[in-house]
Amino acid sequence: MGRERLEKDSTQGRLRGILGDDDLGIPAAQLNAVAHRVLESRYLLRDQSGKISETPRQLFTRVAKAVASVERKWWRKKAAENRDEAIDQIARMFFELMASLRFLPNSPTLMNAGKPRGQLSACFVLPLEDDLKQVFETLRDSAVVHKTGGGTGFNFGKIRPSGDLISSSGGTASGPLAFLKIFDVATNTVKQGGARRGANMAIMPIDHPDIEEFIQSKMDGGIENFNISVGITDDFMAAAKTGQVWRLKHPKTGQVTSTIKARKLWRAIAEAAWKSGDPGVVFLDRINEVNPTPECGPMESTNPCGEQPLLAYESCNLGSMNLMAYYQKSGLDWESLETDIKLAVRFLDNVIEANAYPLLAIEDITLANRKIGLGVMGWADLLLEMGIAYDSDQALRFADETMGRIQAVAVKASEDLAVERGAFPNFPKSRWAKMGHKPRRNATVTTVAPTGTISLIAGVTSGIEPVFSLAFERVGLDQEYMIFIHPSLKRALKQYNVRSKRTLIRVVETGSVAHVKGLPAKVRKALKTASEIHPLWHVKMQAVFQKHTENGVSKTINLPSTATKQNVQAVYDAAYALGCKGITVFRDTSKPSQVLNTGIRARSGRAQDLVDAVNWLLDDVEEGKNIRKKASFGLASLSRAKLKLKR
C-alpha cells in the first residue's frame, strides 16, 4: 500500500482488509482505574460530538493494525495470501505485546496511529539561526509539530546577544531570551494533538554572552512551557575544576565579549536549579563524541525531557519495556523479555514507515537515520519485588546486567532487520560502519524515557526513577488529582503485622516507613523513597543505565526540601564525572505548584482520602499478580482516580 494511498484513506479504510473491523480478541490486561482515566482523557478516539468512540482494547487494536500494515512494503515479491496471513499474525503479536502492558510506545503513537495523517513520534529538534525570518519559520514549524503531538527542542546559542548592534538597521538585537519568551507564548496557544499543551527544551551554550540571564530566566517567571538546560563543554568543566577565567564569546564572530570565573558560573547554575528546578545541564561534547552520524552535523539540542539528542529536523519515536511484566521470584524471565525486545524493535522501526511527518525536512533526515529509542519502565517496582535497595551496589550490578542485555538484544534485532529490509541509508558514513560493526537498520536503538503517562497506563513506576513516595498525590490531566499507595507498602505492613491506625496514618501522611519500628531495617532500606536516597546514588543509577544506552537517559534527581545548594552542585559534578549525558534536579517545594506531592493529607473537602487509604492498608484482600492477564502491580494498580480539584 503506497504512502499516497495511506494518506487519502480514512482510518477504517486504511486498515480494512488486514484484520477486519473488530478488535483482535486476544485476552488483554485488566486496566486499573487510573489507566482508564488516563486513556479516556487523552488517548481514546472520540466522535464528532466529543463522545468516546473506542475501548482500550480497540485502541490497542487500532495501533497494532496501523503499525503492522506497513509490513506490506517488504512483501512485494511474495504471494499475496502468505503476505496477508503474515501481516495478520504480526498485528496480533503487536496487539498482545501492548494489551498485556509488556510494552507501550510513546504517547503520539497511541493517540494517532490509524488516524489519517497520524504523526507518531514524540521527539523533535528544530534549528535556530541568527536570522529573523528563519526564527519565525522555526516558530511556525514548532507549532505544526506541537499540533501533531510532538515535543520540540531548540538551541538558542546562535542568536546574537541582547543589545548587539544590527548593522543593517542601526538598531540593537533583542537577544535569545526575548525570542524564547515569544516561543513560550506561542506554545501556550497550541495543544499537542488536541490533548495537551506543547512541551519544549531550550538549550544555551555555556559560552554565550547572555548565559547568566538564561540561567536566571525561569526564576523571573513568564516561561511556562519550556524546560531549560545549559550546554556544557569539556573545556568549561576543566576551567571550573581548576578555577580559571571563562570567556564568553559572540556566537557569530567568536570574539570575547566578557569574562567570568568558571566556578562562579557553575555555582550560579546549581543555585538557580536549587531555587527553581531549572536549569538542567547537558554535556554537549559527550553527546557528540558518540554521535552516530557526525557527517550529518552536530547534535546541539535534545527533546523536552533531555533524553533524546537529535540533529536539526530529526525526530525519534520511543517505546518502553515494562520490566515488572517479566518478574519471577528467581529474577527476570529473560527468555520472554528478549523475545519481546526483538518484537518491540520491529514495532518501532515500523512506526518510522507508518508515520506521517509534519515537515518534509523532518521526514528526510528521519528516514535517512531511522533512530528509535527502546527503554524501560517499572525499574523501581522490580527492585522492590526482589528486595533490592535502590541505593545499593547490588542494584547497580543488576542495572548493569539488565540494560546491558537489553542493549545487546536491541542491536542484534536491528542488525537482523537490516538483513531483511536494508540498513539505514546513512550507515556507510556512520560511526558504526567506521568501527566495523554489522549493518543495522537504526542509527540508535535505545533511550531511557521518563514514561510519565504510559507508566500510569501500565501501572508501574516511571522509567528508572525510584519510588517517589509510598503514598502521594499526583496533579494533572486538566487539574484532576489522583492518589497512589504503593502495593509493596501494603505487603510489608501485612507481613510484619503493623496494624496501628496511628502508625498507618503517619505512614500515609508522610509517604515513608523510615519511622516505623515494626519493620526490619532491611525492609525499611528497600522501601526508601526518592528523597530518602542520597543524591549520589541517583546519579550512579543513571550512569549505569547510560553506559548501555545509545541515546540519553531521563532521570530527575528528586531532592528533599532541606537539600542545600552544595547538594545540587555535587549532583552536577558527579553526573559529569560518572559519564552521564545530562542531569536534572528537583528540590521538593522549590516551585509554587508541582505535579507530585509527597503523602496523602486530610485537606479540606478531601478528608476521606486519608481514611480510605488507611482502610485499604488494613484490608486483607490480596491483589492479583497474574501480570500477563492483569495490570502490573506497581503504583497505579492500587490508586484511585478523583474528581477535579476545587478551586
Side-chain angles (χ1 to χ4, degrees):
M1 187 179 291
R3 176 168 296 169
E4 296 80 6
R5 173 70 180 279
L6 287 176
E7 292 176 356
K8 293 179 180 178
D9 286 349
S10 66
T11 300
Q12 291 76 20
R14 177 180 177 180
L15 302 176
R16 187 175 294 116
I18 302 174
L19 292 165
D21 296 323
D22 299 325
D23 71 47
L24 300 187
I26 301 170
Q30 296 179 14
L31 298 170
N32 58 67
V34 166
H36 276 287
R37 194 73 172 172
V38 170
L39 289 170
E40 290 171 359
S41 176
R42 297 189 180 186
Y43 294 88
L44 301 181
L45 294 180
R46 295 176 180 268
D47 60 24
Q48 292 183 345
S49 66
K51 183 179 179 181
I52 292 173
S53 60
E54 72 177 351
T55 66
R57 289 171 62 90
Q58 290 169 333
L59 177 151
F60 293 129
T61 298
R62 165 171 57 83
V63 175
K65 289 180 177 180
V67 175
S69 68
V70 299
E71 296 271 343
R72 291 179 179 275
K73 181 173 181 178
W74 299 286
W75 282 78
R76 289 174 178 171
K77 297 181 180 180
K78 300 190 179 184
E81 60 272 17
N82 293 336
R83 177 197 63 194
D84 292 342
E85 181 181 347
I87 295 174
D88 180 279
Q89 182 59 33
I90 290 170
R92 292 177 185 278
M93 293 167 67
F94 286 165
F95 172 88
E96 202 268 338
L97 185 66
M98 292 183 290
S100 63
L101 305 178
R102 306 200 306 275
F103 161 86
L104 289 175
N106 54 215
S107 289
T109 299
L110 291 176
M111 292 173 177
N112 299 329
K115 292 181 180 179
R117 296 293 301 162
Q119 195 288 110
L120 312 182
S121 296
C123 311
F124 298 80
V125 162
L126 297 176
L128 273 176
E129 301 293 336
D130 188 39
D131 177 83
L132 189 64
K133 179 181 178 182
Q134 193 275 336
V135 166
F136 280 93
E137 287 175 349
T138 295
L139 178 61
R140 176 204 62 199
D141 291 345
S142 69
V144 172
V145 171
H146 290 166
K147 189 69 174 177
T148 65
T152 48
F154 312 88
N155 188 311
F156 283 79
K158 294 180 181 179
I159 297 177
R160 69 187 67 190
S162 60
D164 195 50
L165 180 66
I166 302 175
S167 58
S168 61
S169 64
T172 57
S174 300
L177 267 295
F179 287 110
L180 173 57
K181 291 175 182 178
I182 292 172
F183 275 62
D184 185 74
V185 171
T187 301
N188 235 8
T189 65
V190 181
K191 283 191 173 183
Q192 289 181 313
R196 53 180 177 166
R197 189 171 293 166
N200 302 285
M201 168 66 81
I203 289 178
M204 177 78 79
I206 189 65
D207 62 354
H208 193 282
D210 289 352
I211 188 62
E212 291 180 276
E213 182 183 359
F214 179 80
I215 290 169
Q216 303 291 324
S217 62
K218 290 293 285 286
M219 290 192 294
D220 297 336
I223 298 176
E224 300 178 358
N225 305 293
F226 271 84
N227 295 324
I228 67 170
S229 285
V230 178
I232 303 294
T233 63
D234 292 339
D235 286 345
F236 173 79
M237 293 303 295
K241 183 178 181 179
T242 56
Q244 296 177 19
V245 168
W246 183 246
R247 295 173 177 82
L248 305 183
K249 302 175 182 178
H250 194 289
K252 198 165 187 177
T253 66
Q255 293 181 341
V256 175
T257 61
S258 62
T259 61
I260 185 174
K261 286 288 185 69
R263 283 180 181 171
K264 179 181 178 181
L265 195 54
W266 191 226
R267 286 196 298 269
I269 295 171
E271 181 175 355
W274 176 82
K275 289 180 178 178
S276 68
D278 282 293
V281 295
V282 175
F283 301 116
L284 291 177
D285 284 346
R286 182 165 291 157
I287 285 172
N288 280 290
E289 283 175 7
V290 293
N291 180 353
T293 55
E295 292 187 25
C296 296
M299 294 190 287
E300 298 177 329
S301 188
T302 73
N303 70 326
C305 291
E307 79 276 11
Q308 188 62 55
L310 293 168
L311 301 169
Y313 289 113
E314 202 169 28
S315 70
C316 186
N317 55 288
L318 311 178
S320 298
M321 307 303 302
N322 174 8
L323 294 177
M324 275 301 297
Y326 304 92
Y327 167 72
Q328 297 176 330
K329 289 186 177 180
S330 59
L332 282 175
D333 178 1
W334 275 107
E335 182 178 357
S336 296
L337 178 55
E338 291 183 1
T339 297
D340 287 347
I341 289 169
K342 296 173 185 176
L343 185 60
V345 168
R346 188 182 194 93
F347 179 102
L348 293 174
D349 188 66
N350 281 15
V351 168
I352 296 171
E353 294 297 318
N355 209 345
Y357 295 93
L359 301 169
L360 182 60
I362 291 174
E363 181 174 17
D364 287 345
I365 188 66
T366 301
L367 291 176
N369 291 331
R370 304 190 68 87
K371 288 181 180 176
I372 61 172
L374 182 66
V376 299
M377 55 184 169
W379 172 244
D381 297 317
L382 183 64
L383 294 180
L384 284 172
E385 284 303 309
M386 299 179 71
I388 301 174
Y390 193 95
D391 54 345
S392 68
D393 290 331
Q394 183 182 4
L396 297 181
R397 289 193 297 269
F398 187 40
D400 189 57
E401 176 194 11
T402 300
M403 198 62 204
R405 292 181 70 169
I406 290 172
Q407 166 69 13
V409 175
V411 169
K412 179 61 166 58
S414 186
E415 290 172 348
D416 291 344
L417 281 177
V419 173
E420 177 184 337
R421 303 175 174 183
F424 68 92
N426 280 333
F427 176 80
K429 54 185 179 181
S430 72
R431 69 186 298 261
W432 306 124
K434 293 177 181 178
M435 294 169 66
H437 289 196
K438 292 181 180 179
R440 49 194 283 178
R441 182 67 172 165
N442 314 99
T444 63
V445 295
T446 46
T447 305
V448 177
T451 71
T453 308
I454 64 170
S455 62
L456 289 179
I457 298 171
V460 294
T461 47
S462 58
I464 62 166
E465 300 291 354
V467 173
F468 173 75
S469 177
L470 295 173
F472 66 93
E473 300 173 343
R474 178 186 174 102
V475 180
L477 302 177
D478 297 325
Q479 292 302 303
E480 290 179 326
Y481 80 96
M482 297 169 280
I483 65 171
F484 296 81
I485 308 175
H486 202 285
S488 292
L489 170 62
K490 180 174 182 175
R491 288 194 294 276
L493 295 174
K494 181 180 179 181
Q495 180 180 353
Y496 294 97
N497 198 32
V498 178
R499 309 285 290 181
S500 165
K501 284 194 174 183
R502 178 175 295 181
T503 299
L504 296 183
I505 287 173
R506 190 177 178 195
V507 168
V508 171
E509 287 182 330
T510 62
S512 169
V513 295
H515 55 276
V516 181
K517 296 180 180 179
L519 294 175
K522 182 179 179 180
V523 175
R524 294 200 302 272
K525 181 175 175 59
L527 290 173
K528 275 187 178 180
T529 60
S531 62
E532 295 170 336
I533 295 169
H534 193 282
L536 293 184
W537 282 104
H538 286 260
V539 183
K540 288 179 181 179
M541 186 65 74
Q542 178 174 345
V544 170
F545 272 91
Q546 183 63 77
K547 176 182 173 184
H548 302 292
T549 304
E550 291 181 344
N551 293 304
V553 175
S554 174
K555 179 80 181 69
T556 298
I557 313 302
N558 283 293
L559 304 174
S561 59
T562 55
T564 65
K565 300 170 188 176
Q566 290 73 27
N567 293 146
V568 176
Q569 190 80 73
V571 166
Y572 284 170
D573 288 337
Y576 183 74
L578 293 175
C580 297
K581 290 184 177 179
I583 199 83
T584 302
V585 302
F586 182 78
R587 183 175 61 88
D588 193 28
T589 70
S590 63
K591 291 183 183 292
S593 62
Q594 55 193 59
V595 173
L596 302 179
N597 294 282
T598 302
I600 299 171
R601 296 172 177 82
R603 294 188 176 92
S604 175
R606 288 153 51 191
Q608 191 63 37
D609 289 350
L610 183 59
V611 175
D612 289 346
V614 171
N615 287 340
W616 181 79
L617 289 174
L618 290 170
D619 188 350
D620 289 330
V621 175
E622 288 289 336
E623 294 297 319
K625 295 185 181 181
N626 186 356
I627 300 172
R628 296 214 177 209
K629 300 296 183 183
K630 304 189 74 171
S632 298
F633 53 105
L635 284 177
S637 63
L638 304 177
S639 59
R640 299 167 58 242
K642 306 299 293 183
L643 299 176
K644 287 190 176 182
L645 286 169
K646 295 180 179 179
R647 290 185 173 274

